[in-house]
Structures are given as structure tokens and as C-alpha cells.
């Protein structure tokens, strides 16, 4: 993605963003009723002018007397002047993805319509591993040298304090790294390598600053809590394996984001 895109949150997403959601196609056969062209100025689904038995030369469907038996013409009486009422269907692309995807509006038949392809779960896992290596290894080595070495197998209180220090600084570095990368371009280095991207679920744009930092915080900070933090982290990262239809982890749901591929179906074929 080019680096000259406007900062997220500055307004509408750029129109040339290749990963924005595309407008949905109109439903097949969705033309309004009675949309066939007129012939010789006659109202739709009614007899031509001059036909019928009305004394004023108009047919039964043009304001003349109803057919024998008092039954109104099919489709009900026409509006005054014999004109069709304007089509009042919803505007194109006005489904739930035009606003809040978590709103209570009825959705289309396919909730993924107009979205880029969802990212493969395996690629997402590999991207996380790459990021953990890029940030975790150098930060851990530097902090270990600063605190004078760490024995991760010792239960001594001094060693436990050193372990907590190294782990805390590493997590803080990862939080800052991911928050900055996601809010600026929607990708970390690992996601770039795996050709995947984080996008706003509402419109497919780069995450806003709030969404990017929320996503990073929900993924990273719970691990500070002993024992329970790891359990939450494990449930969080596994959530995408059964979530439908967007394959979101809990940090995606908190930020209202989704992970998509930067490759088109033709490139992945």
C-alpha cells in the first residue's frame, strides 16, 4: 500500500484503496414492479388509450368505470393522471456495511459481499510468529544484559523479579510496535511478509488510531495477569478458528476489525 495515503481518522478512506469494500451487485430481477416501457403513451399494465367501452374514450384502466361486477382492474386503481409512483427502493449499497456492522439492521444474504478475501488462518499464525521474533528476541537479549542475566527455570525471588522485568518490557515494546504499525498502515512486518492486512470491518480501510491501539492492547496487556492472562490470551488467539463469518479473534471484535488478504483471488489461485 502506498505511503502517501491520508492518515486514518482524517475523513473518508481514499477512493483508490484497493482493499476497500466494493459496492454490492443489485439483486437479480430486482427491477420495480411494472417497470416495462410504455407503448403509445398508455399506462403500464392497462389498455391503450381509446380501447374499452368508456363513454369518454378511455379504457377501464384509465380512470373510467370499473369492469362489470365492480372488480377493480388488476394491480389496483392507477394514481391520478395515469402515472406510475416513483421507485422507492433502498439506494444502492445502503446495507449494514455502509454504517455500523454491529448495528441491528437486517443484513444481506451474503455478509461477506463486497469484502476483500479473508486472510488464511495459517498465514495469520506465521505472521504473529515473525513479529514475536522480530520484537521479542532483540528486546529480551538487551534487557537480559541490562539486568545481568536471567534464569527462567529458577523460582528464586530475585530471578522472578528479573523475569518479570524482561517480560514486561518485551510486552510493552510489542504493544507499541503493533499499535503504531496497525494505525499507520494496517500491517506489521510479519503481516507484510504473509501478504495479509488488518482492516476496519465497516469499510475495509486502514484501522483508525483508536482501533489499532485497542486491538494491540487487547492482544498484549492481558498477559500481564498471572495464569488468567495466559488463559485469556489462548482463548483470544483460538477464537478465530470457530468464529463466523469473519474469522475474528477477540481483539478483532474489540476493535471492530477483520484480517484480510492483500492478494486477489487470481493471485492466490
Amino acid at each position: 500500500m502506498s505511503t502517501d495515503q491520508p492518515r486514518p481518522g482524517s475523513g473518508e478512506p481514499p477512493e483508490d484503496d484497493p482493499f476497500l469494500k466494493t459496492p454490492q451487485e443489485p439483486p437479480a430481477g430486482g427491477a420495480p414492479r411494472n417497470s416495462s416501457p410504455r407503448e403509445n403513451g398508455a399506462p403500464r399494465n392497462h389498455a391503450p388509450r381509446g380501447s374499452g367501452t368508456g363513454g369518454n374514450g378511455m379504457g377501464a384502466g384509465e380512470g373510467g368505470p370499473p369492469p362489470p361486477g365492480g372488480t377493480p382492474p388488476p394491480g389496483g386503481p392507477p394514481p391520478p393522471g395515469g402515472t406510475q409512483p416513483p421507485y422507492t427502493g433502498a439506494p444502492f449499497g445502503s446495507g449494514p456495511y455502509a454504517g455500523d456492522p454491529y448495528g441491528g439492521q437486517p443484513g444481506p444474504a451474503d455478509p461477506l459481499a463486497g469484502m476483500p478475501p479473508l486472510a488464511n488462518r495459517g498465514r495469520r499464525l506465521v505472521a504473529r510468529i515473525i513479529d514475536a521474533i522480530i520484537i521479542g528476541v532483540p528486546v529480551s537479549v538487551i534487557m537480559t544484559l541490562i539486568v545481568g542475566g536471567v534464569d527462567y527455570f529458577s523460582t528464586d525471588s530475585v530471578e522472578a523479579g528479573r523475569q518479570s522485568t524482561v517480560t514486561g518490557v518485551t510486552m510493552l515494546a510489542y504493544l507499541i510496535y503493533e499499535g503504531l504499525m496497525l494505525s499507520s498502515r494496517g500491517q506489521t512486518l510479519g503481516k507484510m511478509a504473509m501478504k495479509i492486512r488488518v482492516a476496519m470491518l465497516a469499510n475495509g480501510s486502514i484501522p483508525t488510531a483508536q482501533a489499532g491501539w485497542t486491538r494491540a492492547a487487547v492482544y498484549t496487556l492481558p498477559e500481564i495477569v498471572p495464569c488468567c492472562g495466559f488463559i485469556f490470551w489462548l482463548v483470544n488467539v483460538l477464537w478465530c478458528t470457530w468464529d463466523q463469518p469473519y474469522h475474528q479473534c477477540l481483539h478483532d471484535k474489540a476493535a471492530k476489525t477483520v484480517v484480510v488478504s492483500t492478494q486477489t483471488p487470481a493471485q492466490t489461485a
Side-chain angles (χ1 to χ4, degrees):
M1 180 176 298
S2 63
T3 57
D4 58 351
Q5 294 180 345
R7 296 282 302 171
S10 60
E12 293 297 324
E15 296 182 356
D16 58 349
D17 187 343
F19 306 111
L20 290 179
K21 289 185 179 181
T22 56
Q24 302 179 29
E25 293 295 331
R33 186 177 178 184
N34 298 338
S35 59
S36 58
R38 305 182 180 207
E39 294 183 3
N40 300 325
R44 300 183 181 96
N45 288 353
H46 295 293
R49 296 183 183 274
S51 63
T53 58
N56 57 1
M58 294 190 299
E62 296 188 45
T71 304
T83 59
Q84 285 294 112
Y87 175 58
T88 57
F92 187 65
S94 62
Y97 298 118
D100 183 2
Y102 292 87
Q105 306 176 37
D110 181 7
L112 302 178
M115 287 184 62
L118 293 176
N120 179 276
R121 295 182 182 93
R123 289 179 177 269
R124 295 174 64 172
L125 174 60
V126 174
R128 283 291 185 186
I129 294 174
I130 293 174
D131 289 330
I133 294 174
I134 290 175
I135 299 299
V137 171
V139 173
S140 297
V141 170
I142 293 173
M143 288 304 302
T144 299
L145 295 175
I146 291 176
V147 300
V150 178
D151 183 1
Y152 288 96
F153 298 98
S154 174
T155 57
D156 181 79
S157 59
V158 175
E159 291 298 326
R162 291 176 177 176
Q163 294 169 16
S164 299
T165 300
V166 174
T167 301
V169 172
T170 303
M171 291 171 55
L172 178 61
Y174 190 91
L175 170 65
I176 296 174
Y177 160 77
E178 179 160 334
L180 289 175
M181 295 293 286
L182 292 185
S183 58
S184 62
R185 61 176 299 149
Q187 291 177 298
T188 59
L189 296 177
K191 289 178 172 59
M192 292 180 204
M194 290 294 101
K195 294 180 171 53
I196 60 178
R197 174 180 178 272
V198 177
M200 296 301 296
L201 178 58
N203 55 20
S205 65
I206 294 174
T208 62
Q210 178 180 355
W213 286 99
T214 297
R215 192 179 192 275
V218 173
Y219 176 82
T220 306
L221 294 183
E223 298 180 60
I224 298 176
V225 181
C227 185
C228 296
F230 174 77
I231 294 176
F232 175 84
W233 176 85
L234 186 61
V235 173
N236 177 18
V237 297
L238 291 177
W239 198 273
C240 66
T241 61
W242 60 74
D243 182 73
Q244 295 297 334
Y246 303 115
H247 302 173
Q248 292 173 300
C249 293
L250 296 180
H251 51 264
D252 286 310
K253 292 186 178 297
K256 299 182 181 180
T257 57
V258 67
V259 184
V260 297
S261 174
T262 60
Q263 296 177 301
T264 63
Q267 291 174 320
T268 57

